[in-house]
Amino acid sequence: MTAHTSLPRRAAAELIGTAGLLVVVIGSGLKAAELSPDTGVALIANSFVSAIGLGLIITLFGPLSGAHLNPVVTLVSWWARRSGGEGLAGREVLVYVVAQTTGAVGGAVLAEAMFGRTPGTFATRALDGGHLLVGEVIATAGLVLVIQGLGRIGRAGLVPVAVAAYIAAAIWFTSSGSFANPAGTIGRSFSDSFTGIAPGSLPGFVAAQLLGGILGLALAGFLYGTRAKGAAAAEGPDGTEVREAEPPAGVGPDRTAYQAVG
């Protein structure tokens, strides 16, 4: 997030970016299913395209809003501010989350309309079961750990590639398919396709994602230590404090630039 970007512009970036992410995820899923009856082939195509699109969206919108695209990432930024670091204030969090959720629903409806389907139709694919919720906790915790870990070691510029790669992998290694994004999950309930999720499954998934965010933040704090305001601090191998260099160009002072989700 750049210091001189107004909140309305940041909100617009979050809305457009999240809408674009849902168009990529749902649209690639619909196209893949249209071209191949093999679910495995369709999933390969969907995960590959989703990763590419996510990386590009983070790179494009990161300098404007931090490219959170995900309420969990936004809440982590809010917690960083409460803990004495740099991050978003409460009002900004509300604006971001509303923009992300609105963008996700809009992106889902647009993707459905683009493929000649009836927009606004709710998904019928129920994702129930404790094992799926465990998968969502793990998927979201890993996402937060990747973002926070890179930020705390001064490698925030790698987040676009790292997050895209993580989401592509997590789609395959988690039982839930790695939604890992409350706004995106709500948006995907408006697509009756193999990338969708029935509205009745939303409460469990969103709760699991929030729990995963807390777990990921706790792991990041345990592994990398806490950050002092204005600069991150960590212990070197000899136990002495190591302070990060200034963020690279294009990365905000709170190191939330290029932070996103799948």
Side-chain angles (χ1 to χ4, degrees):
M1 178 177 64
T2 57
H4 302 294
T5 305
S6 66
L7 182 57
R9 288 180 61 195
R10 283 185 276 146
E14 288 294 304
L15 188 151
I16 296 169
T18 311
L21 176 60
L22 268 291
V23 169
V24 169
V25 171
I26 295 174
S28 63
L30 292 172
K31 188 67 174 181
E34 183 181 283
L35 295 176
S36 174
D38 189 316
T39 304
V41 172
L43 189 58
I44 290 173
N46 178 242
S47 59
F48 179 71
V49 174
S50 296
I52 293 175
L54 176 59
L56 291 172
I57 290 169
I58 297 171
T59 301
L60 180 63
F61 292 101
L64 292 175
S65 67
H68 293 188
L69 316 177
N70 186 333
V72 169
V73 176
T74 297
L75 288 170
V76 167
S77 175
W78 168 78
W79 182 255
R81 182 182 178 113
R82 283 182 59 87
S83 302
E86 300 289 343
L88 297 180
R91 174 172 171 267
E92 294 173 306
V93 169
L94 178 61
V95 171
Y96 267 50
V97 171
V98 170
Q100 291 157 358
T101 305
T102 303
V105 174
V109 171
L110 178 59
E112 291 282 305
M114 184 169 58
F115 280 86
R117 295 158 60 93
T118 303
T121 302
F122 286 115
T124 56
R125 178 174 172 244
L127 296 175
D128 299 319
H131 65 294
L132 297 179
L133 300 183
V134 171
E136 271 303 280
V137 171
I138 293 172
T140 312
L143 174 64
V144 171
L145 182 58
V146 167
I147 295 170
Q148 287 289 305
L150 288 173
R152 294 182 189 214
I153 63 175
R155 297 292 185 270
L158 296 177
V159 168
V161 173
V163 167
Y166 173 79
I167 291 299
I171 287 173
W172 284 91
F173 75 72
T174 61
S175 57
S176 63
S178 186
F179 285 58
N181 182 337
T185 304
I186 292 171
R188 286 164 70 166
S189 72
F190 285 82
S191 174
D192 192 14
S193 64
F194 88 88
T195 60
I197 177 173
S201 300
L202 290 178
F205 263 60
V206 171
Q209 291 156 0
L210 295 174
L211 179 58
I214 294 171
L215 177 60
L217 187 59
L219 286 172
F222 174 74
L223 293 171
Y224 300 103
T226 57
R227 290 177 295 178
K229 189 169 184 178
E235 288 186 356
D238 59 354
T240 59
E241 184 180 283
V242 177
R243 301 185 73 83
E244 291 182 359
E246 289 300 310
V251 178
D254 62 350
R255 296 190 178 274
T256 57
Y258 310 133
Q259 294 184 7
V261 149

